[in-house]
Amino acid sequence: MAQLRWSPPTIFFVILQIIGLSQQFYLPGLAPVNYCKKSEVSSICVSNVTLFVNRLNTEESNLPYEYHHYDFCVGNEQNSPVENLGQVVFGERIRPGPYKIEFLEDVDCEVVCKRNYTGGDPDSDRRMMVLKTGISLNYQHHWIVDNMPVTWCYSLENEKQYCNTGFPMGCLVPPDSADGCAINSNYNKRGYYYLFNHVDLQINYHSGFSEEKSLGLDANGGRIISVKVQPRSINHADPNKPVCKNAEPLAIKSSSLVKGERLTIVYTYSVKFVKNNTVKWSSRWDYILESMPHTNIQWFSILNSLVIVLFLSGMVAMIMLRTLHKDIARYNQMESGEDAQEEFGWKLVHGDVFRPPRKGMLLSVFLGSGVQVTCMTLITLAFACLGFLSPANRGALMTCSMVLYVALGTPAGYVSARIYKSFGGIKWKSNVILTSMLCPGIVFCMFFVLNLVLWGEGSSGAVPFSTLIALLALWFGVSVPLTFVGAYFGFRKRALEHPVRTNQIPRQIPDQSIYTQPIPGIIMGGVLPFGCIFIQLFFILSSIWSNQMYYMFGFLFLVFLILVITCSETTILLCYFHLCAEDYHWWWRSFLTSGFTAVYLFIYCCHYFFTKLPIKGAASTFLYFGYTTLMVFLFFLLTGTIGFFACFWFIRKIYSVVKVD
């Protein structure tokens, strides 16, 4: 059988396949739903189009709230779908909406409910204040129909249409504003709130598909391909006879209602079905993704970063290979020559290079947890590239990551035990307990503190107590035993045999120049790895904090591979320079050199917070930096582990090919 050769054209073809797979969203598990008229309902089609409402959030605050937190019309929340673990952690709270929609039945100005407010009544004042606060902070609705986000589409300055997956609950005209609301210039009373109490829903459906006859459907059947909403503010003069066309907007004054003053808000909606056979059901997400801002910039930036980093990595690799080849040839020639010369360079420290480091227990624990995070990231990105973690599968990304982290306790325990045993450690019980408790404990404690803040603010982002118990059960019931299993096999194996013996007396390290001292080397080591990811970081942070959808997992996978290569080569290069300067303390330095990339990540997140986010309030600020610290800590473990094992392999390799007395 012919053996596959991984030539550059083959690798490039595989990369193109990964990029293509990253945009394939629908899998066999996500089957389309066939709709038909109410009079033609059968086992193969349904007529009821269920509209689900999700939590409301905003860019100006990190505190999402459930739909019923505001005084909107609510549906029967007892029929709410069950959220998966990822949705609960992300704060999604999906509930059935109060809107009744039947397939192909248009609705014109239908009343949903009425809300009455009386000045001087504490309950009315509280409900009205909550509405005004939500409008002033630009909180946005997030609705779902047929597993598709209901989009609000509008034109940008460049005459391109942008479709947002949420729409605002209202707008505020500041007292000092010369213009009206950005959404509608007719809403222009200064110091007034405009509540969007009416929505026009346009449901586009695909009819006449090839399976129509086999399914028994006629022209009255179809599949939903998009739902678009246009919110409006309407002051219904007669609540019993609402008029939705050319109506006066509902302007609510900023001051509280006078005692005894009454205000009635009528919520209405209209539905219109539009046939669209030009868009296939499998491509119905395209209009959302293609209209997102910065899409073209993202393609150019990623490709530009890819070319630059690959060029730099190639240069580093070429220099290392040529220099090492000369060193090894020179050392071996000296050994075979008649005139023995004094050893110099990195060969001089062969008797100390594998001397166990200080705090070897902590280093081995970090490495075990780092392997756990690295494997989790790699497998999660692989699943995402195959489409399993697409936006259509809500909460799947977080669920997959958490389940994988728990299930990968075995490699964490195994690696930690093997490294610790190679250091000559004998406290195996302390090692396995710290591996299973230290880093996961730090993550859980930080998450719990942030969750307490969300609890205190009454936010829907707070994870319920039952879910916290479930997370603890996964940790202690699954992850900890698996870590013990991995440590058991790790300690049973023989200790790693190094290619050179370690001297009993440590060699004195000569004075180092500023370039080979530990701290400058560590600080410089994180520059190049951060340079290959900082462009991608903007889009990742935008998807997390600015409610934008991230879907280019193929490019993210490539950037991750570039990060691995860059961390490895940078750490190896600096380690080689330190060994040539006769400094053999490389264990911790190799981990911290690439791990210092996390410090640059934190600095960039701070820059993003102060320049890109309009976040207000102490609680939201604390949540942002809390979650950022959590992310930076995990990234520190990931990059540090990559750099350490690259350096570990490099040192074992070079000292195994030179002749040592």
Side-chain angles (χ1 to χ4, degrees), residues 469-596:
I469 297 299
L471 291 176
L472 287 174
L474 286 174
W475 179 14
F476 289 102
V478 180
S479 181
V480 172
L482 289 177
T483 306
F484 273 78
V485 171
Y488 171 76
F489 286 105
F491 278 111
R492 282 194 61 185
K493 294 188 68 99
R494 294 178 58 186
L496 292 171
E497 295 183 2
H498 300 306
V500 291
R501 294 191 303 269
T502 301
N503 297 333
Q504 293 183 355
I505 302 175
R507 180 184 179 85
Q508 186 176 3
I509 299 175
D511 294 335
Q512 301 291 307
S513 65
I514 188 172
Y515 301 104
T516 57
Q517 289 180 359
I519 294 180
I522 291 172
I523 293 176
M524 290 187 298
V527 174
L528 189 58
F530 177 76
C532 75
I533 64 170
F534 83 96
I535 298 177
Q536 190 73 5
L537 278 178
F538 173 79
F539 302 103
I540 296 175
L541 294 178
S542 296
S543 66
I544 296 175
W545 303 111
S546 298
N547 304 318
Q548 295 185 13
M549 195 172 293
Y550 191 90
Y551 65 99
M552 304 183 83
F553 292 107
F555 281 111
L556 184 60
F557 186 78
L558 292 179
V559 171
F560 176 74
L561 295 181
I562 295 171
L563 175 66
V564 172
I565 295 171
T566 312
C567 283
S568 303
E569 292 183 341
T570 304
T571 308
I572 289 174
L573 182 63
L574 292 175
C575 181
Y576 173 75
F577 291 154
H578 293 141
L579 291 178
C580 289
E582 301 179 21
D583 186 353
Y584 52 84
H585 291 154
W586 64 272
W587 298 95
W588 271 107
R589 187 178 298 170
S590 63
F591 185 86
L592 296 176
T593 297
S594 54
F596 201 80

Side-chain angles (χ1 to χ4, degrees), residues 376-398:
M376 176 200 72
T377 305
L378 183 63
I379 299 173
T380 300
L381 288 177
F383 277 118
C385 289
L386 296 174
F388 288 97
L389 310 180
S390 69
N393 197 357
R394 303 177 187 280
L397 183 65
M398 178 59 71

Side-chain angles (χ1 to χ4, degrees), residues 83-101:
E83 292 99 355
N84 56 42
L85 184 61
Q87 289 176 298
V88 174
V89 172
F90 268 134
E92 292 195 8
R93 302 294 183 266
I94 300 176
R95 305 288 183 259
Y99 302 91
K100 301 183 184 301
I101 305 174

Side-chain angles (χ1 to χ4, degrees), residues 88 103 138 207 232 368 375 434 441 453 572 591-592:
V88 174
F103 191 69
N138 195 30
S207 181
R232 287 192 288 151
C375 294
L434 286 174
V453 176
I572 289 174
F591 185 86
L592 296 176

Side-chain angles (χ1 to χ4, degrees), residues 413-486:
Y414 179 82
V415 170
S416 178
R418 290 279 283 164
I419 296 296
Y420 180 65
K421 191 173 182 179
S422 70
F423 294 159
I426 57 175
K427 298 179 180 179
W428 64 270
K429 294 180 181 179
S430 301
N431 175 260
V432 67
I433 291 174
L434 286 174
T435 304
S436 59
M437 295 293 178
L438 181 61
C439 293
I442 293 174
V443 172
F444 184 83
C445 289
M446 294 175 63
F447 178 76
F448 182 75
V449 171
L450 297 172
N451 202 55
L452 287 178
V453 176
L454 292 170
W455 268 340
E457 296 291 334
S459 171
S460 66
V463 176
F465 183 74
S466 58
T467 305
L468 288 177
I469 297 299
L471 291 176
L472 287 174
L474 286 174
W475 179 14
F476 289 102
V478 180
S479 181
V480 172
L482 289 177
T483 306
F484 273 78
V485 171

